[in-house]
C-alpha cells in the first residue's frame, strides 16, 4: 500500500468547497452491537462509494475520520490492514485512496482533539457531507461540533448507519431540526443540487 500522505496548503484557503467525511468505516466490527450495524453499514458503504465519485469530479477532498479503537500507537495503514483482515466488505468498499486525508480521533466527535479544525480551513472547506457510523453517536457528535463552527451540513440518510433504524431516524431528526442539516438520500439529491440550494438561501 502506498503510504504517501496528502498535504494541505500551508495557509488557510479562500474558497467555498465541500468535503466528504467518512466516519469510522475502517472498522473491524468487533464491538458490542456490531452484528446489528454491520449490514446497515454495508449498504451505507455502497452509497458512499457511489457518492464520492461526485466529489472526485469536482476535485474536492475526501477525509476519513476514524476512531483509534483504543490503539494509541496505531496509524492509518495499521487500522486499514487490521480491518481488512476480518473479511470485511465495508472497509473493502471504502478502502482509502492515496490522495484521501485520514484523521484519527480518540473520541466520538471528529473535531475533538484532532487536527480536523485546522485542516478544513486550509482546504477552503465551508460545507461538510457526513457519512458513516454510527448515526446516533459519532456522526451526531461530529455534526454538533461542525454546526457550532458554522459548517453547512448534509447527512445523507442512506450513507449513515446505526444499530437500529429507530435510533438512526431520531439522530437524523435532531441533525435536521437542531443543526439545519440536509438529510436527503444521495439517490434523491445530487451534490450539485445541494450546493445550488445553499447558494440560493444565502
Amino acid at each position: 500500500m502506498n503510504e504517501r500522505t496528502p498535504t494541505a496548503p500551508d495557509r488557510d484557503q479562500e474558497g467555498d468547497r465541500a468535503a466528504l467525511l467518512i466516519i469510522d468505516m475502517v472498522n473491524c466490527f468487533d464491538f458490542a452491537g456490531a452484528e446489528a450495524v454491520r449490514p446497515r453499514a454495508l449498504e451505507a458503504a455502497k452509497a458512499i462509494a457511489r457518492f464520492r465519485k461526485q466529489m472526485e469530479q469536482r476535485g474536492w477532498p475526501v477525509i476519513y475520520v476514524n476512531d483509534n479503537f483504543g490503539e494509541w500507537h496505531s496509524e492509518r495503514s495499521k487500522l486499514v490492514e487490521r480491518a481488512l483482515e476480518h473479511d470485511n466488505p465495508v472497509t473493502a468498499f471504502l478502502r482509502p485512496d492515496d490522495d484521501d486525508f485520514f484523521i484519527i480521533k480518540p473520541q466520538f466527535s471528529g473535531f475533538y482533539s484532532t487536527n480536523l479544525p485546522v485542516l478544513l480551513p486550509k482546504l477552503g472547506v465551508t460545507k461538510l457531507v457526513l457519512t458513516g457510523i454510527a448515526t446516533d453517536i459519532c456522526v451526531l457528535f461530529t455534526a454538533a461540533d461542525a454546526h457550532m463552527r458554522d459548517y453547512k451540513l448534509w447527512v445523507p440518510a442512506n450513507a449513515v448507519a446505526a444499530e437500529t433504524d429507530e435510533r438512526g431516524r431520531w439522530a437524523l431528526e435532531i441533525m435536521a431540526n437542531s443543526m439545519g442539516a440536509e438529510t436527503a438520500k444521495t439517490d434523491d439529491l445530487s451534490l450539485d443540487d445541494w450546493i445550488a440550494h445553499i447558494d440560493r438561501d444565502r
Side-chain angles (χ1 to χ4, degrees):
M1 180 177 177
N2 190 327
E3 286 303 310
R4 182 172 60 82
T5 300
T7 56
D10 291 334
R11 299 178 181 273
D12 291 357
Q13 300 297 297
E14 295 292 334
D16 200 15
R17 308 168 84 200
L20 171 62
L21 268 57
I22 301 176
I23 300 171
D24 287 344
M25 295 293 266
V26 175
N27 200 309
C28 297
F29 292 94
D30 54 2
F31 54 87
E35 289 305 313
V37 76
R38 187 200 301 263
R40 296 177 173 90
L42 179 56
E43 291 307 308
K46 294 174 183 178
I48 296 166
R50 293 192 300 269
F51 178 80
R52 72 169 290 159
K53 294 176 183 177
Q54 297 180 52
M55 300 293 295
E56 292 168 348
Q57 287 169 358
R58 283 178 171 259
W60 284 354
V62 175
I63 305 173
Y64 284 73
V65 180
N66 221 87
D67 202 287
N68 66 6
F69 302 109
E71 297 181 10
W72 294 95
H73 290 94
S74 200
E75 41 78 33
R76 169 182 173 148
S77 63
K78 290 181 180 178
L79 288 170
V80 173
E81 181 181 357
R82 182 168 176 265
L84 291 173
E85 285 176 352
H86 289 71
D87 189 25
N88 183 349
V90 174
T91 302
F93 258 108
L94 294 175
R95 183 170 183 162
D97 291 341
D98 292 335
D99 290 334
D100 295 336
F101 294 91
F102 201 97
I103 303 291
I104 297 178
K105 62 183 176 70
Q107 278 291 347
F108 305 126
S109 172
F111 287 87
Y112 179 77
S113 294
T114 75
N115 60 9
L116 187 63
V118 178
L119 175 63
L120 294 176
K122 291 188 181 301
L123 297 175
V125 168
T126 59
K127 297 173 283 289
L128 297 173
V129 183
L130 304 186
T131 65
I133 58 174
T135 318
D136 56 322
I137 307 174
C138 295
V139 175
L140 179 62
F141 278 66
T142 301
D145 277 351
H147 175 63
M148 288 191 292
R149 291 166 172 81
D150 291 327
Y151 287 98
K152 299 295 184 182
L153 296 174
W154 180 12
V155 187
N158 64 327
V160 291
E163 190 173 331
T164 68
D165 293 340
E166 181 181 8
R167 289 169 63 168
R169 279 193 298 269
W170 71 250
L172 287 168
E173 288 174 2
I174 291 171
M175 288 183 274
N177 296 331
S178 299
M179 304 172 199
E182 175 62 68
T183 59
K185 296 179 180 180
T186 56
D187 298 331
D188 299 328
L189 182 68
S190 70
L191 179 61
D192 288 344
D193 287 343
W194 178 55
I195 298 299
H197 178 72
I198 292 173
D199 291 343
R200 284 196 302 269
D201 288 347
R202 285 178 175 171

